[in-house]
Amino acid sequence: MTADGRIEEAELVYQRAVFGGDAGELGTAESGLDGVEADLALARGKLVHARFLDQRVEDARELELFERAAELYRRLGDERGEGEALFWIGTFHQVVRDDNEAALPVLRRARELAARAGDRLTLSYVLRHLGFADHTAGRLDSARAHFEESTRLRRDLGFLPGVAANLIGLAFLAAQQERREDAAALLAEAAELAEKSEAHGVLRWVAGAREELGLG
């Protein structure tokens, strides 16, 4: 049921309870609205994160929104939703606060829940960010494995901008491991996929990676 549908259902339950004397569905309607609130908090948090990526200014609302979403999904027993919200909490700590120590336990729990719920898209995001953490810590083989598994999932899902973004990460790893031909090939494929999917932001990332790695 859509958010609008759950709100409309709550109104009908209210009418039945007040005017019809049947209050038996109040709890169900309240749970539906908890789901709406969780979805809204998660969506708002993503917008705040996108603004951070654009302006690089932390907004405390981001963490509050993701934590509220995770709490509500947990209360509802929605493991898929909770896993996604936990991923964003981990991302906040990793990307906004530059704190992998705080991020890693949350990301690992998100991976567990996403895998259990069969949420391959969220799992691909979690694996990507675990790859970032490994790369920062110098665990290059583990980082590569995480990026490659994330990329496999994204190819299966047809998520081409996400595949292209991962290939950039793999290119940096290849260059660091003195596999410069591999790095160049990865960036070429990333550019092709980004252009095909009109992911202009990712194309800019490819150009930046080529310049940074001297592969222009």
Side-chain angles (χ1 to χ4, degrees), residues 51-70:
R51 185 168 290 111
F52 167 80
L53 294 177
D54 180 56
Q55 301 176 358
R56 295 293 168 175
V57 177
E58 179 180 333
D59 185 334
R61 291 183 305 152
E62 181 178 341
L63 183 59
E64 293 170 4
L65 287 163
F66 291 142
E67 287 181 337
R68 178 61 174 162

Side-chain angles (χ1 to χ4, degrees), residues 63-113:
L63 183 59
E64 293 170 4
L65 287 163
F66 291 142
E67 287 181 337
R68 178 61 174 162
E71 176 190 350
L72 288 166
Y73 286 130
R74 189 178 306 116
R75 186 188 303 171
L76 292 166
D78 183 344
E79 289 191 338
R80 193 220 62 78
E82 183 185 355
E84 185 179 0
L86 288 176
F87 160 72
W88 285 105
I89 291 171
T91 296
F92 173 84
H93 287 298
Q94 183 183 59
V95 176
V96 179
R97 295 269 176 88
D98 194 25
D99 186 353
N100 276 318
E101 185 175 351
L104 279 172
V106 188
L107 290 173
R108 287 168 181 151
R109 177 60 176 162
R111 177 176 59 184
E112 178 184 343
L113 291 177

Side-chain angles (χ1 to χ4, degrees), residues 111-130:
R111 177 176 59 184
E112 178 184 343
L113 291 177
R116 199 153 67 202
D119 183 358
R120 294 185 296 162
L121 181 59
T122 295
L123 184 57
S124 80
Y125 274 102
V126 174
L127 290 167
R128 171 178 168 83
H129 282 258
L130 288 172

Side-chain angles (χ1 to χ4, degrees), residues 102-169:
L104 279 172
V106 188
L107 290 173
R108 287 168 181 151
R109 177 60 176 162
R111 177 176 59 184
E112 178 184 343
L113 291 177
R116 199 153 67 202
D119 183 358
R120 294 185 296 162
L121 181 59
T122 295
L123 184 57
S124 80
Y125 274 102
V126 174
L127 290 167
R128 171 178 168 83
H129 282 258
L130 288 172
F132 286 145
D134 284 334
H135 194 177
T136 299
R139 298 185 294 268
L140 302 188
D141 289 339
S142 180
R144 182 180 180 183
H146 279 125
F147 272 108
E148 288 179 341
E149 178 61 12
S150 173
T151 303
R152 184 190 67 77
L153 288 169
R154 291 180 170 192
R155 287 190 193 277
D156 289 347
L157 292 167
F159 180 26
L160 297 186
V163 173
N166 276 2
L167 294 177
I168 297 169

